Amino acid sequence: MTGAKKLDLFAGIPVADYARALEWYERLLGAPPTFFAHETEAVWELAEHRYVYITHQPEHAGHAAHTLFVDNVDALVAQIAERGLEPAQRETFSNGARKITYRDPDRNEIGFGGSARIRPPSTHSPPRRPP
């Protein structure tokens, strides 16, 4: 696997009510699906070769947990709020990284994370104490 020249990622999310989930994920992701694999599977391409999909599998609904790291988590959360969805949970870790979690109607978890903002080193030195 480590020697793979090309890799596509498909992260699946089983849902109980396909129509309700389709509407919810369109609001979360801000767009209709990129394509439909079949009549009860919708696929969004999030970035080149990186996909998330919902599929009607009621017996497995509610067990998915995915986290996506983005450049500007605050801007993304604001955009999602404009579409009527609010996070279920907000976390900040000891290293400053953050995770904002949403839960779909089946309780599947979709998180958006952002790395800690690292301040550039200071360009001036602190005052020296005399010896």
Side-chain angles (χ1 to χ4, degrees), residues 40-75:
T40 58
E41 184 173 312
V43 183
W44 286 263
E45 184 174 23
L46 304 178
E48 189 175 11
H49 304 290
R50 295 164 189 92
Y51 303 86
V52 65
Y53 67 94
I54 61 169
T55 186
H56 184 244
Q57 290 183 322
E59 67 279 10
H60 298 291
H63 297 282
H66 301 299
T67 300
L68 310 167
F69 264 65
V70 296
D71 289 335
N72 188 337
V73 72
D74 293 322

Short mmCIF file of all heavy atoms in Angstrom, two decimals, residues 40-75:
data_model
loop_
_atom_site.label_atom_id
_atom_site.label_comp_id
_atom_site.label_asym_id
_atom_site.label_seq_id
_atom_site.Cartn_x
_atom_site.Cartn_y
_atom_site.Cartn_z
N THR A 40 -29.69 4.70 -4.53
CA THR A 40 -29.63 5.01 -3.09
C THR A 40 -28.18 5.17 -2.61
O THR A 40 -27.84 4.81 -1.49
CB THR A 40 -30.35 3.93 -2.24
OG1 THR A 40 -29.75 2.67 -2.50
CG2 THR A 40 -31.83 3.90 -2.54
N GLU A 41 -27.35 5.75 -3.48
CA GLU A 41 -25.98 6.08 -3.09
C GLU A 41 -25.57 7.37 -3.80
O GLU A 41 -25.51 7.43 -5.02
CB GLU A 41 -25.00 4.96 -3.44
CG GLU A 41 -23.59 5.24 -2.95
CD GLU A 41 -22.66 4.06 -3.15
OE1 GLU A 41 -23.05 2.93 -2.79
OE2 GLU A 41 -21.55 4.28 -3.67
N ALA A 42 -25.29 8.40 -2.99
CA ALA A 42 -24.88 9.70 -3.50
C ALA A 42 -23.44 9.97 -3.09
O ALA A 42 -23.05 9.69 -1.95
CB ALA A 42 -25.79 10.79 -2.94
N VAL A 43 -22.65 10.51 -4.01
CA VAL A 43 -21.22 10.70 -3.81
C VAL A 43 -20.83 12.16 -4.03
O VAL A 43 -21.23 12.77 -5.02
CB VAL A 43 -20.42 9.81 -4.80
CG1 VAL A 43 -18.92 9.94 -4.55
CG2 VAL A 43 -20.87 8.35 -4.72
N TRP A 44 -20.08 12.71 -3.08
CA TRP A 44 -19.53 14.06 -3.20
C TRP A 44 -18.02 13.95 -3.32
O TRP A 44 -17.37 13.29 -2.51
CB TRP A 44 -19.84 14.90 -1.96
CG TRP A 44 -21.25 15.35 -1.84
CD1 TRP A 44 -21.77 16.56 -2.21
CD2 TRP A 44 -22.34 14.61 -1.28
NE1 TRP A 44 -23.11 16.62 -1.91
CE2 TRP A 44 -23.49 15.42 -1.35
CE3 TRP A 44 -22.47 13.33 -0.75
CZ2 TRP A 44 -24.73 15.02 -0.90
CZ3 TRP A 44 -23.71 12.91 -0.30
CH2 TRP A 44 -24.83 13.76 -0.37
N GLU A 45 -17.44 14.63 -4.30
CA GLU A 45 -15.99 14.72 -4.39
C GLU A 45 -15.58 15.96 -3.60
O GLU A 45 -15.90 17.09 -3.96
CB GLU A 45 -15.51 14.82 -5.83
CG GLU A 45 -13.99 14.81 -5.93
CD GLU A 45 -13.47 14.77 -7.35
OE1 GLU A 45 -14.21 15.17 -8.28
OE2 GLU A 45 -12.32 14.34 -7.53
N LEU A 46 -14.87 15.75 -2.51
CA LEU A 46 -14.46 16.85 -1.63
C LEU A 46 -13.18 17.51 -2.10
O LEU A 46 -12.95 18.71 -1.88
CB LEU A 46 -14.29 16.33 -0.20
CG LEU A 46 -15.52 15.63 0.39
CD1 LEU A 46 -15.20 15.12 1.78
CD2 LEU A 46 -16.72 16.56 0.40
N ALA A 47 -12.31 16.72 -2.70
CA ALA A 47 -11.06 17.18 -3.29
C ALA A 47 -10.66 16.10 -4.29
O ALA A 47 -11.25 15.01 -4.28
CB ALA A 47 -9.97 17.34 -2.21
N GLU A 48 -9.69 16.38 -5.11
CA GLU A 48 -9.32 15.40 -6.12
C GLU A 48 -9.01 14.03 -5.48
O GLU A 48 -8.20 13.95 -4.55
CB GLU A 48 -8.10 15.89 -6.91
CG GLU A 48 -7.80 15.03 -8.09
CD GLU A 48 -6.68 15.56 -8.96
OE1 GLU A 48 -5.98 16.51 -8.53
OE2 GLU A 48 -6.50 15.03 -10.06
N HIS A 49 -9.74 13.03 -5.94
CA HIS A 49 -9.56 11.64 -5.49
C HIS A 49 -10.00 11.40 -4.04
O HIS A 49 -9.60 10.42 -3.43
CB HIS A 49 -8.11 11.17 -5.68
CG HIS A 49 -7.62 11.31 -7.08
ND1 HIS A 49 -8.08 10.54 -8.11
CD2 HIS A 49 -6.72 12.17 -7.61
CE1 HIS A 49 -7.47 10.90 -9.23
NE2 HIS A 49 -6.64 11.88 -8.96
N ARG A 50 -10.79 12.30 -3.48
CA ARG A 50 -11.25 12.17 -2.09
C ARG A 50 -12.76 12.37 -2.06
O ARG A 50 -13.24 13.47 -2.31
CB ARG A 50 -10.54 13.18 -1.19
CG ARG A 50 -9.05 12.92 -1.10
CD ARG A 50 -8.34 14.17 -0.54
NE ARG A 50 -6.91 14.04 -0.63
CZ ARG A 50 -6.18 14.47 -1.64
NH1 ARG A 50 -6.74 15.04 -2.69
NH2 ARG A 50 -4.87 14.33 -1.64
N TYR A 51 -13.47 11.30 -1.72
CA TYR A 51 -14.93 11.29 -1.81
C TYR A 51 -15.56 10.88 -0.48
O TYR A 51 -14.98 10.12 0.29
CB TYR A 51 -15.40 10.27 -2.86
CG TYR A 51 -14.82 10.51 -4.23
CD1 TYR A 51 -13.58 9.98 -4.59
CD2 TYR A 51 -15.53 11.24 -5.18
CE1 TYR A 51 -13.06 10.19 -5.85
CE2 TYR A 51 -15.01 11.45 -6.45
CZ TYR A 51 -13.77 10.92 -6.78
OH TYR A 51 -13.25 11.12 -8.03
N VAL A 52 -16.77 11.38 -0.27
CA VAL A 52 -17.61 10.90 0.82
C VAL A 52 -18.93 10.51 0.17
O VAL A 52 -19.38 11.16 -0.78
CB VAL A 52 -17.77 11.96 1.94
CG1 VAL A 52 -18.53 13.18 1.46
CG2 VAL A 52 -18.44 11.37 3.15
N TYR A 53 -19.52 9.43 0.67
CA TYR A 53 -20.79 9.02 0.08
C TYR A 53 -21.75 8.55 1.16
O TYR A 53 -21.34 8.08 2.22
CB TYR A 53 -20.59 7.91 -0.96
CG TYR A 53 -20.10 6.59 -0.43
CD1 TYR A 53 -21.01 5.58 -0.09
CD2 TYR A 53 -18.75 6.33 -0.27
CE1 TYR A 53 -20.57 4.35 0.40
CE2 TYR A 53 -18.30 5.12 0.21
CZ TYR A 53 -19.21 4.13 0.55
OH TYR A 53 -18.77 2.92 1.03
N ILE A 54 -23.04 8.73 0.86
CA ILE A 54 -24.08 8.17 1.72
C ILE A 54 -24.72 7.02 0.96
O ILE A 54 -24.81 7.04 -0.27
CB ILE A 54 -25.14 9.22 2.12
CG1 ILE A 54 -25.88 9.79 0.91
CG2 ILE A 54 -24.52 10.32 2.97
CD1 ILE A 54 -27.11 10.62 1.25
N THR A 55 -25.12 6.01 1.71
CA THR A 55 -25.77 4.86 1.10
C THR A 55 -26.86 4.35 2.03
O THR A 55 -26.71 4.39 3.25
CB THR A 55 -24.75 3.75 0.76
OG1 THR A 55 -25.40 2.71 0.05
CG2 THR A 55 -24.06 3.21 1.99
N HIS A 56 -27.94 3.93 1.44
CA HIS A 56 -29.07 3.44 2.23
C HIS A 56 -28.73 2.05 2.78
O HIS A 56 -28.74 1.05 2.06
CB HIS A 56 -30.33 3.39 1.36
CG HIS A 56 -31.54 2.98 2.14
ND1 HIS A 56 -32.22 1.83 1.90
CD2 HIS A 56 -32.16 3.58 3.18
CE1 HIS A 56 -33.24 1.73 2.74
NE2 HIS A 56 -33.21 2.78 3.53
N GLN A 57 -28.37 2.01 4.06
CA GLN A 57 -28.07 0.78 4.79
C GLN A 57 -28.57 0.95 6.21
O GLN A 57 -27.78 1.19 7.14
CB GLN A 57 -26.56 0.49 4.80
CG GLN A 57 -26.00 0.10 3.46
CD GLN A 57 -24.52 -0.24 3.57
OE1 GLN A 57 -23.77 0.38 4.32
NE2 GLN A 57 -24.10 -1.23 2.81
N PRO A 58 -29.88 0.85 6.42
CA PRO A 58 -30.46 1.12 7.73
C PRO A 58 -29.86 0.30 8.86
O PRO A 58 -29.72 0.79 9.98
CB PRO A 58 -31.95 0.79 7.55
CG PRO A 58 -32.19 0.70 6.10
CD PRO A 58 -30.88 0.45 5.43
N GLU A 59 -29.45 -0.92 8.57
CA GLU A 59 -28.90 -1.78 9.62
C GLU A 59 -27.54 -1.29 10.13
O GLU A 59 -27.09 -1.71 11.20
CB GLU A 59 -28.80 -3.24 9.13
CG GLU A 59 -27.81 -3.48 8.01
CD GLU A 59 -28.30 -3.13 6.60
OE1 GLU A 59 -29.39 -2.51 6.43
OE2 GLU A 59 -27.58 -3.47 5.65
N HIS A 60 -26.89 -0.41 9.39
CA HIS A 60 -25.58 0.12 9.80
C HIS A 60 -25.60 1.61 10.10
O HIS A 60 -24.57 2.19 10.46
CB HIS A 60 -24.54 -0.17 8.72
CG HIS A 60 -24.32 -1.62 8.47
ND1 HIS A 60 -23.71 -2.44 9.40
CD2 HIS A 60 -24.66 -2.40 7.42
CE1 HIS A 60 -23.68 -3.67 8.92
NE2 HIS A 60 -24.25 -3.68 7.73
N ALA A 61 -26.75 2.24 9.94
CA ALA A 61 -26.85 3.70 10.11
C ALA A 61 -26.43 4.12 11.52
O ALA A 61 -26.68 3.42 12.50
CB ALA A 61 -28.29 4.15 9.84
N GLY A 62 -25.77 5.26 11.58
CA GLY A 62 -25.39 5.83 12.87
C GLY A 62 -24.03 5.40 13.38
O GLY A 62 -23.64 5.77 14.48
N HIS A 63 -23.27 4.67 12.59
CA HIS A 63 -21.98 4.15 13.07
C HIS A 63 -20.76 4.77 12.37
O HIS A 63 -19.64 4.35 12.65
CB HIS A 63 -21.94 2.63 12.93
CG HIS A 63 -22.96 1.95 13.77
ND1 HIS A 63 -22.81 1.76 15.13
CD2 HIS A 63 -24.18 1.45 13.46
CE1 HIS A 63 -23.88 1.15 15.61
NE2 HIS A 63 -24.73 0.96 14.63
N ALA A 64 -20.97 5.73 11.49
CA ALA A 64 -19.83 6.35 10.79
C ALA A 64 -19.24 7.47 11.63
O ALA A 64 -19.95 8.17 12.34
CB ALA A 64 -20.27 6.89 9.43
N ALA A 65 -17.94 7.63 11.52
CA ALA A 65 -17.23 8.74 12.17
C ALA A 65 -16.07 9.14 11.27
O ALA A 65 -15.12 8.37 11.11
CB ALA A 65 -16.74 8.33 13.55
N HIS A 66 -16.17 10.32 10.68
CA HIS A 66 -15.14 10.81 9.77
C HIS A 66 -14.74 12.22 10.19
O HIS A 66 -15.58 13.01 10.61
CB HIS A 66 -15.64 10.86 8.33
CG HIS A 66 -16.08 9.54 7.81
ND1 HIS A 66 -15.25 8.45 7.70
CD2 HIS A 66 -17.30 9.12 7.36
CE1 HIS A 66 -15.93 7.42 7.22
NE2 HIS A 66 -17.18 7.80 7.01
N THR A 67 -13.45 12.54 10.04
CA THR A 67 -12.96 13.89 10.31
C THR A 67 -12.17 14.36 9.09
O THR A 67 -11.33 13.63 8.58
CB THR A 67 -12.06 13.93 11.56
OG1 THR A 67 -12.83 13.47 12.67
CG2 THR A 67 -11.56 15.34 11.83
N LEU A 68 -12.45 15.57 8.68
CA LEU A 68 -11.78 16.18 7.53
C LEU A 68 -11.04 17.41 8.03
O LEU A 68 -11.62 18.25 8.72
CB LEU A 68 -12.81 16.61 6.49
CG LEU A 68 -13.84 15.55 6.09
CD1 LEU A 68 -14.98 16.18 5.31
CD2 LEU A 68 -13.17 14.46 5.30
N PHE A 69 -9.76 17.53 7.70
CA PHE A 69 -9.02 18.72 8.07
C PHE A 69 -9.12 19.73 6.94
O PHE A 69 -8.97 19.37 5.76
CB PHE A 69 -7.55 18.38 8.37
CG PHE A 69 -7.30 18.18 9.83
CD1 PHE A 69 -7.89 17.14 10.51
CD2 PHE A 69 -6.49 19.06 10.53
CE1 PHE A 69 -7.68 16.95 11.86
CE2 PHE A 69 -6.27 18.89 11.89
CZ PHE A 69 -6.87 17.84 12.55
N VAL A 70 -9.40 20.98 7.29
CA VAL A 70 -9.59 22.04 6.31
C VAL A 70 -8.68 23.22 6.66
O VAL A 70 -8.20 23.34 7.78
CB VAL A 70 -11.07 22.49 6.26
CG1 VAL A 70 -11.96 21.35 5.78
CG2 VAL A 70 -11.55 23.00 7.60
N ASP A 71 -8.48 24.09 5.68
CA ASP A 71 -7.60 25.25 5.89
C ASP A 71 -8.17 26.25 6.86
O ASP A 71 -7.46 26.78 7.70
CB ASP A 71 -7.33 25.96 4.55
CG ASP A 71 -6.43 25.15 3.64
OD1 ASP A 71 -5.65 24.33 4.14
OD2 ASP A 71 -6.52 25.35 2.42
N ASN A 72 -9.47 26.54 6.76
CA ASN A 72 -10.07 27.58 7.60
C ASN A 72 -11.36 27.05 8.20
O ASN A 72 -12.44 27.22 7.63
CB ASN A 72 -10.32 28.85 6.78
CG ASN A 72 -10.75 30.02 7.64
OD1 ASN A 72 -11.28 29.84 8.74
ND2 ASN A 72 -10.54 31.23 7.13
N VAL A 73 -11.25 26.41 9.33
CA VAL A 73 -12.41 25.77 9.96
C VAL A 73 -13.46 26.79 10.37
O VAL A 73 -14.66 26.53 10.25
CB VAL A 73 -11.98 24.84 11.12
CG1 VAL A 73 -11.52 25.62 12.32
CG2 VAL A 73 -13.09 23.89 11.50
N ASP A 74 -13.05 27.97 10.81
CA ASP A 74 -14.02 29.00 11.22
C ASP A 74 -14.89 29.45 10.05
O ASP A 74 -16.11 29.58 10.19
CB ASP A 74 -13.31 30.20 11.84
CG ASP A 74 -12.65 29.85 13.16
OD1 ASP A 74 -13.24 29.07 13.92
OD2 ASP A 74 -11.55 30.35 13.41
N ALA A 75 -14.28 29.67 8.90
CA ALA A 75 -15.04 30.09 7.72
C ALA A 75 -16.01 28.98 7.29
O ALA A 75 -17.16 29.26 6.95
CB ALA A 75 -14.09 30.45 6.58
#
